[in-house]
Amino acid sequence: MFVDQVKINIKAGNGGNGIVAFRREKFVPNGGPAGGDGGRGGDVVLKVDSGMRTLMDFRYQRKFKAPSGSNGMNKQMTGRSAQDFVINVPGGTIVKDTETGEVIGDLVDNDETLVVAKGGRGGRGNIHFASPKNPAPEIAENGEPGRERSIQLELRLLADVGLLGFPSVGKSTLLSVVTSAKPKIAEYHFTTLVPNLGMVRLDDGRDFVIADIPGLIEGASQGVGLGFEFLRHVERTKVLLHLVDMSVVEEVDPFDSYQKINQELGKYDPDLIKRRQIIVPTKMDMPNSEDNLKEFEKKIQESTKNTETPDIFPISAVTHKGLEPLMQHTADVLENTPDPIPAPVVSDDSVTYAYEPKQPFLITQDEDGVWVLTGEKLERLFKMTNTEHDDSMIRFARQMRGMGVDDALRKAGIKNGDSVRILDFTFEFVD
């Protein structure tokens, strides 16, 4: 099964917890704090695997979690950092943030990597909190939570040449003849339901990848037929072979079919219509094909009077007539055609961005009258607080006071003795 779009959930590893410990050894009086730091949590990394062709591996597994770092140890020993969690993807994968739609990265080259979720740093042990006023602190940090997010993987095939044309025009037959690919071939529309890839190898040592793109009919850009579901795979191709049926079995004007396909390409992406095209009249072994070809060439020349006339290479995939010149010419064109993937455009115009600070916390009240504190920054600080030690809780209370939580609660109407909840931890407000 061909899978080219999938959404997955990823979770980077949490940092290991720092610990509260003290050095107690013979002949070492007043050893002092000796709690080590926690190890770093593992990142979630995407890596291009040259052996993968689809996103089929993600069909049944959608959740991935990196390991967490180890906790700190006595004698100021830092916990072991976790290994990164590597997820293999095929080349040509575009990574997007599901919530914002932002493109995180575009993985093309073999073994290319992309960090999509950073692991949390390890919490600090009590050796970091010693001071002249408090030489034996019972304060340690929990590890920082690893980032959790939902991403969308979208595959765009890395093919040099794309085959275009109406259904049953002979794309699959051509692919099966010039490559070792074995696509399904039959005498009805939409035989090909997924893109097929094949490698063309010429006698002179040159080779290139060719792809059969299904689903193009009139109205495809508006979702007719298979719609534009697979048109994204054309975007990376350097050269397009536009196949046009010359047998006219269904009494359809070949030139009209040629124009309709180009119109659908232009509606989907105006840049695609500028891509280098080679016109390939097919089924030249059928009766009347030669006469239809002459009429087709005449209309092509009339429509391109003021522009360069595209190359025309008639073939018969059944008799193999014209295949060798077509493949040789395609290889020549590929050598002189630049990479179609555009470089990022940098504007010279100066842009002024307004800084909008994130709200560090939010105060609400539930139906039971409990005051609820939420907010990414506040919740992160709490998760990194070791609630088993009073000194750690006193430090967290100072951090909340410094953020303005106490004043905001008073302004909201909190009273002495009211309950306050952060995540699953509830405490009593004392003014």
Side-chain angles (χ1 to χ4, degrees):
M1 183 177 293
F2 186 86
V3 179
D4 62 352
Q5 270 189 326
V6 69
K7 292 181 181 178
I8 63 174
N9 296 312
I10 56 176
K11 171 73 167 64
N14 299 330
N17 298 333
I19 68 165
V20 174
F22 297 92
R23 186 179 181 187
R24 293 186 177 90
E25 295 181 32
K26 193 174 182 180
F27 308 120
V28 184
N30 304 322
D37 301 342
R40 180 187 62 83
D43 299 338
V44 178
V45 182
L46 301 183
K47 182 180 181 180
V48 175
D49 182 356
S50 59
M52 295 182 67
R53 288 290 178 266
T54 76
L55 299 173
M56 180 64 187
D57 291 354
F58 301 97
R59 182 172 177 82
Y60 301 108
Q61 184 178 1
R62 300 292 180 92
K63 295 183 178 181
F64 300 89
K65 183 178 181 181
S68 298
S70 300
N71 295 336
M73 294 169 283
N74 202 351
K75 298 184 179 179
Q76 304 181 17
M77 290 190 291
T78 300
R80 184 189 299 273
S81 293
Q83 294 288 333
D84 294 338
F85 189 85
V86 179
I87 304 173
N88 292 327
V89 296
T93 300
I94 292 178
V95 188
K96 297 180 179 179
D97 187 283
T98 304
E99 295 182 2
T100 65
E102 173 193 4
V103 176
I104 304 170
D106 187 359
L107 297 168
V108 177
D109 300 323
N110 189 30
D111 292 332
E112 184 178 358
T113 59
L114 173 69
V115 178
V116 288
K118 292 287 292 181
R121 68 171 177 85
R124 293 177 293 175
N126 66 334
I127 59 174
H128 294 280
F129 299 97
S131 66
K133 290 185 178 180
N134 187 8
E138 292 191 5
I139 301 174
E141 286 181 334
N142 289 340
E144 181 185 23
R147 185 170 185 186
E148 187 172 3
R149 69 193 307 188
S150 174
I151 60 175
Q152 175 172 311
L153 305 180
E154 182 178 296
L155 176 62
R156 300 187 182 183
L157 294 180
L158 296 175
D160 301 304
V161 179
L163 300 181
L164 295 179
F166 274 92
S168 298
V169 77
K171 300 189 296 296
S172 297
T173 304
L174 174 61
L175 185 69
S176 67
V177 172
V178 299
T179 74
S180 58
K182 295 178 174 59
K184 183 179 179 181
I185 301 172
E187 291 295 329
Y188 53 84
H189 282 1
F190 298 124
T191 309
T192 305
L193 299 177
V194 299
N196 291 303
L197 281 175
M199 174 71 77
V200 176
R201 289 185 172 86
L202 304 180
D203 295 336
D204 57 10
R206 294 183 294 178
D207 56 38
F208 55 87
V209 179
I210 190 169
D212 171 14
I213 311 298
L216 264 184
I217 63 173
E218 186 178 6
S221 59
Q222 280 79 43
V224 178
L226 294 181
F228 49 83
E229 182 178 355
F230 299 114
L231 273 174
R232 72 176 71 90
H233 299 301
V234 185
E235 296 180 16
R236 295 188 189 273
T237 58
K238 294 183 179 181
V239 177
L240 301 176
L241 298 187
H242 194 148
L243 277 60
V244 185
D245 187 355
M246 289 294 138
S247 64
V248 196
V249 176
E250 299 178 0
E251 299 183 357
V252 177
D253 183 9
F255 182 73
D256 185 49
S257 300
Y258 167 76
Q259 286 187 314
K260 286 178 179 178
I261 292 293
N262 280 335
Q263 288 171 2
E264 294 305 320
L265 280 182
K267 290 176 183 177
Y268 176 75
D269 185 351
D271 290 334
L272 287 179
I273 204 65
K274 303 173 186 176
R275 198 70 50 87
R276 179 68 182 272
Q277 280 194 23
I278 300 175
I279 301 176
V280 184
T282 62
K283 304 183 182 180
M284 294 304 298
D285 55 305
M286 300 293 288
N288 301 323
S289 292
E290 291 292 343
D291 295 336
N292 294 329
L293 175 60
K294 291 178 182 178
E295 185 67 24
F296 177 77
E297 289 176 333
K298 181 181 177 181
K299 292 181 179 179
I300 287 290
Q301 291 174 355
E302 291 175 354
S303 65
T304 58
K305 285 182 179 180
N306 300 324
T307 58
E308 182 181 354
T309 303
D311 301 324
I312 301 178
F313 281 78
I315 65 164
S316 169
V318 176
T319 64
H320 293 198
K321 179 181 178 182
L323 293 182
E324 183 66 23
L326 172 62
M327 294 298 104
Q328 291 287 349
H329 182 70
T330 302
D332 294 338
V333 173
L334 278 172
E335 291 178 352
N336 301 314
T337 303
D339 194 334
I341 303 175
V345 179
V346 180
S347 175
D348 294 333
D349 300 333
S350 60
V351 181
T352 302
Y353 295 95
Y355 173 68
E356 296 182 0
K358 272 190 175 181
Q359 195 170 358
F361 61 89
L362 182 66
I363 299 174
T364 57
Q365 195 172 17
D366 64 14
E367 62 274 7
D368 296 326
V370 178
W371 297 90
V372 182
L373 297 175
T374 57
E376 182 180 351
K377 182 178 179 181
L378 182 63
E379 291 175 359
R380 183 173 291 268
L381 284 175
F382 177 74
K383 288 178 181 178
M384 296 180 69
T385 299
N386 189 333
T387 57
E388 296 179 359
H389 295 279
D390 292 341
D391 287 356
S392 295
M393 293 303 297
I394 292 172
R395 178 171 176 262
F396 177 65
R398 288 199 305 267
Q399 289 173 327
M400 284 200 301
R401 192 178 305 116
M403 293 173 61
V405 175
D406 291 8
D407 293 337
L409 284 171
R410 294 187 185 96
K411 189 178 293 185
I414 194 170
K415 297 177 182 178
N416 197 28
D418 284 357
S419 297
V420 181
R421 186 172 70 244
I422 302 175
L423 297 176
D424 57 351
F425 183 80
T426 305
F427 63 93
E428 186 177 296
F429 180 80
V430 179
D431 200 352

